[in-house]
């Protein structure tokens, strides 16, 4: 079982920055994939960024060059640094952990943190 707690959301003006944190209840070095998703009003939940065990990362095209996902293994925390924020980034951001044990996949989600970007 992996419990995830997001923090760091809030209200920011366009062009500003926020850093989201996701604290995990177990060592993230043992978790196959840590990721950030978001869901805007009237839209489906979408992938923002993922950090894969071993060191690789992937980003949605809409955030490339602006957002950075990183891990602090000592603190069991994943971060999403968001720069040059745009109003279209407004959404609830969810932390996700994907754990694969043998042939069974486990998916865990945080409760989300609201990010609002004003124009």
């Amino acid at each position: 079982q992996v419990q995830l707690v997001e923090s760091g959301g809030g209200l920011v003006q366009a062009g500003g920055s926020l850093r989201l944190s996701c604290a995990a209840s177990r060592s993230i070095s043992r978790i196959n994939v840590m990721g950030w998703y978001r869901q805007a009003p009237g839209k489906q939940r979408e992938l923002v960024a993922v950090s894969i065990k071993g060191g690789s990362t992937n980003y949605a095209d809409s955030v490339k060059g602006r957002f950075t996902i990183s891990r602090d293994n000592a603190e069991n925390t994943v971060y999403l640094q968001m720069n040059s924020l745009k109003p279209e980034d407004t959404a609830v951001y969810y932390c996700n952990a994907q754990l694969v044990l043998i042939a069974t996949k486990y998916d865990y989600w945080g409760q989300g943190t609201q990010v609002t970007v004003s124009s």
Side-chain angles (χ1 to χ4, degrees):
Q1 185 75 34
V2 180
Q3 293 178 323
L4 305 171
V5 180
E6 303 101 331
S7 62
L11 176 64
V12 65
Q13 295 185 40
S17 298
L18 284 173
R19 188 179 71 167
L20 306 184
S21 299
C22 173
S25 62
R26 64 178 292 170
S27 175
I28 61 173
S29 66
R30 302 168 68 90
I31 299 174
N32 299 88
V33 178
M34 296 292 302
W36 288 96
Y37 290 71
R38 68 186 181 187
Q39 187 167 20
K43 299 184 67 177
Q44 296 289 95
R45 189 171 299 184
E46 64 177 351
L47 173 70
V48 177
V50 294
S51 173
I52 302 170
K53 185 174 67 176
S56 65
T57 59
N58 288 288
Y59 298 90
D61 288 341
S62 60
V63 307
K64 284 182 179 178
R66 300 189 297 121
F67 291 10
T68 303
I69 188 170
S70 61
R71 297 185 180 208
D72 186 335
N73 290 331
E75 298 295 328
N76 294 327
T77 300
V78 175
Y79 300 97
L80 184 68
Q81 178 66 47
M82 305 185 295
N83 299 324
S84 302
L85 283 162
K86 306 174 181 179
E88 50 263 46
D89 295 319
T90 296
V92 177
Y93 284 71
Y94 297 91
C95 183
N96 169 255
Q98 182 184 119
L99 180 64
V100 179
L101 299 175
I102 310 178
T104 303
K105 175 180 176 291
Y106 300 87
D107 237 347
Y108 302 97
W109 295 90
Q111 292 186 341
T113 184
Q114 176 71 48
V115 171
T116 302
V117 184
S118 62
S119 60

